[in-house]
Amino acid sequence: MTRYPRDFRGHGPNPPDAAWPGGAKIAISLVLNYEEGGENNILHGDAGSEAFLSDIAGAQPWPGLRHWNMESLYDYGARAGFWRLHRLFTRRGIPVTIYGVATALARNPEQVAAMQEAGWEIASHGLKWVEHRDMPEADEAAAIAEAFRLHEEVTGAPPSGWYTGRCSMNTVRLTAETGRLAWISDTYDDDLPWWLKTGDHDQLVIPYTLEANDMRFATAPGYITGEQFFTYLKDSFDVLYAEGVAGHAKMFSIGLHNRLIGRPGKFAGLQKFLDYAQSHEGVWFPRRIDIADHWRRTHPPVAQERPSQMSRAAFVARFGGIYEHSPWIADQAWELELGPAHDSAVGLASALARAFRRASPEARLQVLRAHPDLAGKLAAAKRLTASSTSEQASAALDALTDAERATFQRLNTAYTARHGFPFIIAVRDNTRASILAAFEARLANDSETEFKTACTQVERIATLRLKDLLP
């Protein structure tokens, strides 16, 4: 038995209605990363200089040395870029979320004061702007705890949101396990928030972006001009806004960095995009905490069965009757590589069908033979399973006239004598008339064809039964 942790299903084919405040068609989350003073630097106790996300092409860390050019590019973000962006957003009345590296915030008190005066949300961007990939779990947990402490010391309040960015495989779990955060954002997997279950805690995840992000000015392939950035943001906006008009409102995250988008030529693209977005009706510019508060009110976490997390005994007890009188199918399906994608009706139906399909023809034949005749003697004696009783009643097979019952009995006898197993059809997909028509037509088929058809119908019946139990 193995369990696969990645969740490919997410909200599924029918995502929830975001129901943004005021009927907004789109929620644009502007995020300003504040990293200046928190990056790799021997002044900060690091082994060398920073090499990530700057205008230095092909930058490499300088072990044991300060890199003056790199430092001055980061300094530009604090000295000039931040204030240019601060004027832009405050003049337009657009609130933003700051991803604040705790040590950077501590070294930039005037900027922190300006953020607070503007009413911006200051979320945590970790203790330092460094790589966490190879960081031992205990060390990362300690860094998270210290980031909470320093953030509160500098800003006067603990962070309500978190984004590490240069994260490890443990980051999402470790931040969720603190139980102290209204939201976390170290994922890029959706256009809407979603709930992550961590133990007994429901953690809200607000996915972030690496593509609608000015970091692409410093990576390849990337943006060269502000116009390219504007075009990408506009195209993204147009698609999401149209979806919102059609009743499927989404969230649009935009990632910004003082030292990148704060440069005049790049800044022009952002300015142009805001002009464009603000020219539309129904555009909401929330902070991420505003999205979190709205989502918690509108779409609170809902407890649901998670088959992939059940014990073998619980799994078989719950789903052993999905295939008529054949619990061995559930037992074998439990051994497959189940994960979040199998916690839905369609997903679990796939797992059960795989167990059924891999069985020998003889074993599958026994499953077919475990099915009752339609409107047969077991139905008359009220000895069907609860599922079969409900299914046959859905097509009014429990309310036949004497003549109709005689017709079914004649067809049942002839079909079983010809093929060696009962006539099987997904009753809930049919009417009494279509069932009789199929009965007459399939009676004449060869047994190999009917065996395949019956197996397909058994799988369809299983899917319909699971849809009564799971999302």
Side-chain angles (χ1 to χ4, degrees):
M1 183 274 290
T2 59
R3 290 296 176 260
Y4 190 77
R6 294 167 67 189
D7 184 356
F8 296 120
R9 181 172 186 269
H11 288 300
N14 299 299
D17 177 7
W20 299 131
K25 306 298 187 295
I26 187 173
I28 300 180
S29 170
L30 291 164
V31 173
L32 182 57
N33 293 262
Y34 205 99
E35 298 154 354
E36 290 76 14
E39 79 279 11
N40 282 287
N41 192 310
I42 62 171
L43 294 176
H44 307 157
D46 301 308
S49 64
E50 185 58 69
F52 190 45
L53 293 189
S54 78
D55 286 324
I56 300 177
Q60 296 295 319
W62 289 8
L65 297 172
R66 292 176 64 185
H67 190 318
W68 186 258
N69 291 349
M70 181 65 71
E71 285 185 27
S72 65
L73 287 171
Y74 269 74
D75 292 352
Y76 182 92
R79 293 161 58 108
F82 172 81
W83 297 110
R84 180 170 288 119
L85 293 163
H86 181 267
R87 289 190 293 271
L88 173 70
F89 295 134
T90 55
R91 286 172 181 171
R92 292 173 180 259
I94 296 177
V96 303
T97 292
I98 297 291
Y99 284 172
V101 175
T103 50
L105 297 177
R107 295 182 175 113
N108 289 266
E110 291 193 18
Q111 291 88 340
V112 170
M115 297 171 196
Q116 293 176 320
E117 185 176 353
W120 294 355
E121 175 188 17
I122 306 178
S124 182
H125 199 7
L127 180 63
K128 299 172 70 175
W129 177 230
V130 297
E131 185 64 69
H132 291 68
R133 180 188 63 187
D134 298 320
M135 191 178 290
E137 183 175 334
D139 291 354
E140 186 172 8
I144 290 170
E146 176 60 12
F148 269 103
R149 187 202 67 78
L150 182 57
H151 189 107
E152 184 169 8
E153 180 179 287
V154 171
T155 70
S160 57
W162 190 285
Y163 174 76
T164 296
R166 298 160 84 170
C167 66
S168 74
M169 283 303 301
N170 299 314
T171 302
V172 168
R173 175 176 54 81
L174 289 174
T175 52
E177 286 177 350
T178 67
R180 301 177 64 185
L181 295 162
W183 57 268
I184 60 177
S185 284
D186 275 299
T187 77
Y188 314 95
D189 51 11
D190 215 298
D191 298 312
L192 289 172
W194 55 276
W195 291 100
L196 171 69
K197 190 75 172 180
T198 306
D200 295 329
H201 177 58
D202 291 298
Q203 176 64 64
L204 185 65
V205 178
I206 303 180
Y208 187 48
T209 176
L210 294 181
E211 37 81 48
N213 191 313
D214 68 357
M215 67 177 288
R216 299 293 290 274
F217 282 108
T219 59
Y223 310 121
I224 304 299
T225 67
E227 185 67 24
Q228 290 175 328
F229 189 50
F230 161 70
T231 298
Y232 190 85
L233 296 184
K234 175 184 178 297
D235 288 347
S236 299
F237 175 91
D238 288 344
V239 170
L240 293 172
Y241 190 83
E243 290 180 3
V245 170
H248 307 287
K250 301 295 194 308
M251 177 184 69
F252 181 21
S253 294
I254 300 174
L256 306 169
H257 299 75
N258 299 303
R259 63 191 176 279
L260 297 176
I261 202 67
R263 292 282 180 176
K266 300 166 186 170
F267 178 85
L270 174 62
Q271 216 173 11
K272 188 173 179 179
F273 170 73
L274 293 179
D275 288 340
Y276 181 76
Q278 289 189 300
S279 71
H280 289 70
E281 296 292 332
V283 178
W284 182 38
F285 286 94
R287 303 167 303 171
R288 286 173 104 72
I289 188 60
D290 302 322
I291 293 173
D293 289 344
H294 170 80
W295 202 263
R296 186 169 283 102
R297 290 191 304 267
T298 310
H299 299 289
V302 177
Q304 65 180 61
E305 286 186 293
R306 299 196 179 277
S308 66
Q309 298 177 13
M310 290 181 174
S311 68
R312 185 180 213 131
F315 186 90
V316 174
R318 181 61 166 151
F319 304 111
I322 296 297
Y323 279 70
E324 197 84 359
H325 299 296
S326 303
W328 61 267
I329 294 176
D331 186 71
Q332 292 189 15
W334 184 85
E335 295 184 348
L336 297 175
E337 185 189 75
L338 302 184
H342 300 97
D343 292 337
S344 68
V346 172
L348 188 55
S350 172
L352 294 173
R354 287 177 58 195
F356 176 60
R357 292 167 190 167
R358 67 165 54 172
S360 67
E362 293 76 16
R364 281 180 284 152
L365 178 60
Q366 292 308 310
V367 175
L368 301 187
R369 287 175 173 169
H371 279 257
D373 289 335
L374 292 183
K377 294 179 181 179
L378 290 178
K382 300 187 183 302
R383 291 172 54 196
L384 298 177
T385 64
S387 294
S388 289
T389 298
S390 173
E391 288 158 0
Q392 294 205 21
S394 70
L397 299 187
D398 60 343
L400 299 176
T401 65
D402 290 342
E404 289 171 330
R405 187 173 294 106
T407 298
F408 269 96
Q409 290 174 353
R410 173 180 60 80
L411 291 169
N412 281 328
T413 299
Y415 186 95
T416 304
R418 177 172 173 78
H419 300 300
F421 49 84
F423 176 77
I424 300 173
I425 192 169
V427 173
R428 282 196 278 177
D429 288 337
N430 289 275
T431 64
R432 192 186 317 180
S434 67
I435 291 170
L436 280 171
F439 220 148
E440 296 279 8
R442 287 171 52 186
L443 180 58
N445 288 339
D446 63 86
S447 293
E448 181 179 355
T449 297
E450 274 307 289
F451 180 81
K452 294 178 180 178
T453 301
C455 287
T456 299
Q457 290 297 305
V458 164
E459 294 174 11
R460 174 60 180 165
I461 291 168
T463 298
L464 292 172
R465 289 178 176 181
L466 287 168
K467 286 184 175 181
D468 291 336
L469 304 177
L470 296 170

